[in-house]
Amino acid sequence: MRFVNVGFNNILNADRIVAVIGSDSAPSKRLMQDAKDMGRAIDCTSGRKTRSILVMDSDHVVLSAIQPETLAARLANENEEDADEDEEENA
């Protein structure tokens, strides 16, 4: 199980993240509002501006104050680390 920090000591299971999107477009704002109305939104912004939205496989929507590019880089780094560990085990 891999975890990714989404800001302010909040971590998520990286394997369950379906998408990381920016929060500035109209469809993403609509997604965020619909999730809040249905009780599926998890706010990890600590009162700051929402900069990215993470869609989980459980239909939950996680709001983060970290840029989507930063979160994508964190997810990519974890994937590279896992690949390195697999290569070491197979050697």
Side-chain angles (χ1 to χ4, degrees), residues 51-81:
R51 291 198 172 100
S52 62
I53 300 171
L54 295 94
V55 180
M56 308 299 287
D57 62 353
S58 61
D59 287 336
H60 284 85
V61 174
V62 180
L63 312 177
S64 176
I66 298 193
Q67 293 288 344
E69 294 83 10
T70 305
L71 291 173
R74 289 179 184 180
L75 288 168
N77 286 341
E78 291 197 9
N79 287 336
E80 290 173 4
E81 290 173 6

Side-chain angles (χ1 to χ4, degrees), residues 22-89:
S23 65
D24 53 349
S25 68
S28 62
K29 289 179 182 177
R30 198 169 26 249
L31 173 70
M32 184 171 34
Q33 190 58 48
D34 290 347
K36 286 180 181 179
D37 293 343
M38 296 177 74
R40 293 183 294 120
I42 301 169
D43 190 357
C44 294
T45 61
S46 293
R48 291 182 172 76
K49 179 182 175 187
T50 301
R51 291 198 172 100
S52 62
I53 300 171
L54 295 94
V55 180
M56 308 299 287
D57 62 353
S58 61
D59 287 336
H60 284 85
V61 174
V62 180
L63 312 177
S64 176
I66 298 193
Q67 293 288 344
E69 294 83 10
T70 305
L71 291 173
R74 289 179 184 180
L75 288 168
N77 286 341
E78 291 197 9
N79 287 336
E80 290 173 4
E81 290 173 6
D82 287 346
D84 291 342
E85 290 175 7
D86 290 343
E87 289 176 6
E88 290 175 3
E89 290 176 2

